[in-house]
Amino acid sequence: MANVELTSLAKLPTLSKLRKLELSDNIISGGLEVLAERCPNLTYLNLSGNKIKDLGTVEALQNLKNLKSLDLFNCEITNLEDYRDSIFELLQQITYLDGFDQEDNEAPDSEDDDDEGDEDDDDEEEDEAGPPGEYEEEDDEDDGGSDLGEGEEEEEVGLSYLMKEEIQDEDDDDDYVEEGGDEEEEAEGVRGEKRKRDPEDEGEEEDD
């Protein structure tokens, strides 16, 4: 709710899960106790650019036990002598005031943290998806499977063809047997004729 000409927080709704609240560039001069009542889990509060003038006004934030970062930049209170030391002593739960801790170390940018989180999410999605090469290999395997299927069909065709040849070979064998049988019958006929002729020859020999 930055720069919306807020003068009071009296009508702030109860937001028990709210962690971060932007109230910068408004006309708020007091009544901060409402924040502890309705937003007890705040960790970040930006009150910069408001009409906060003294430590007594900020003292109401002591009840925000989870508050870690407070911004009062461009408020009149920042003109007080020992302003930073006084705020850190008054609000011992906070780590950062106006973007810096007591040792003047800059606070991490929350937007950068969000960006890093998004990058991590992107990396996780890439890991789940896997490199493109895997899909190509899978496609190759699928193609190989289809080729194998075709080979099986060819093999089946080859078997049926061979079966037909075997059937034809069996028919040819039968024909051969039958032909052999006819030859045997003819041979027996010839032998019979010879037998008939032999007695006549024997009689001629006797006459001689």
Side-chain angles (χ1 to χ4, degrees):
M1 295 184 290
N3 196 19
V4 291
E5 298 184 356
L6 272 180
T7 59
S8 172
L9 298 174
K11 295 184 179 181
L12 184 69
T14 299
L15 301 167
S16 58
K17 295 183 179 181
L18 188 67
R19 303 283 185 177
K20 180 177 179 180
L21 181 58
E22 289 276 358
L23 294 171
S24 60
D25 300 321
N26 284 296
I27 316 171
I28 298 168
S29 59
L32 301 184
E33 63 274 359
V34 175
L35 293 173
E37 295 173 3
R38 302 180 187 177
C39 305
N41 290 310
L42 284 179
T43 59
Y44 173 85
L45 177 62
N46 189 348
L47 289 168
S48 61
N50 280 281
K51 304 299 182 181
I52 298 171
K53 299 178 181 180
D54 53 57
L55 294 173
T57 303
V58 178
E59 187 177 359
L61 300 178
Q62 287 178 333
N63 293 324
L64 287 173
K65 303 300 183 181
N66 296 318
L67 189 65
K68 300 299 179 187
S69 181
L70 174 65
D71 280 347
L72 295 171
F73 185 72
N74 280 343
C75 292
E76 290 185 35
I77 192 174
T78 60
N79 296 324
L80 295 176
E81 187 177 355
D82 297 329
Y83 151 71
R84 289 182 61 81
D85 291 339
S86 298
I87 294 294
F88 277 118
E89 184 178 351
L90 183 64
L91 304 175
Q92 296 184 7
Q93 77 273 33
I94 69 171
T95 304
Y96 299 102
L97 175 63
D98 300 332
F100 293 87
D101 64 11
Q102 283 183 282
E103 304 297 329
D104 289 331
N105 297 313
E106 188 173 1
D109 191 344
S110 59
E111 291 182 0
D112 290 343
D113 294 341
D114 294 339
D115 292 340
E116 290 176 1
D118 294 339
E119 289 176 0
D120 292 340
D121 293 340
D122 293 340
D123 292 339
E124 289 178 2
E125 290 176 0
E126 288 180 2
D127 291 339
E128 292 175 0
E134 291 183 2
Y135 293 108
E136 294 176 0
E137 290 178 2
E138 291 178 0
D139 293 340
D140 293 341
E141 290 177 0
D142 294 339
D143 294 341
S146 61
D147 293 341
L148 180 60
E150 291 175 1
E152 290 177 354
E153 290 178 1
E154 291 177 359
E155 184 178 354
E156 290 177 0
V157 172
L159 285 174
S160 61
Y161 181 75
L162 290 174
M163 292 293 292
K164 289 179 181 179
E165 284 190 347
E166 288 178 2
I167 293 170
Q168 289 177 355
D169 290 342
E170 289 177 0
D171 293 341
D172 294 341
D173 292 341
D174 293 341
D175 294 342
Y176 177 77
V177 171
E178 291 176 359
E179 289 175 0
D182 293 340
E183 290 177 358
E184 289 178 358
E185 289 178 358
E186 289 177 1
E188 288 178 359
V190 171
R191 290 194 191 105
E193 290 179 358
K194 286 183 179 181
R195 288 173 186 170
K196 290 178 183 179
R197 292 175 185 174
D198 289 343
E200 293 176 357
D201 295 339
E202 289 176 356
E204 291 178 356
E205 290 176 357
E206 290 176 357
D207 292 339
D208 294 337

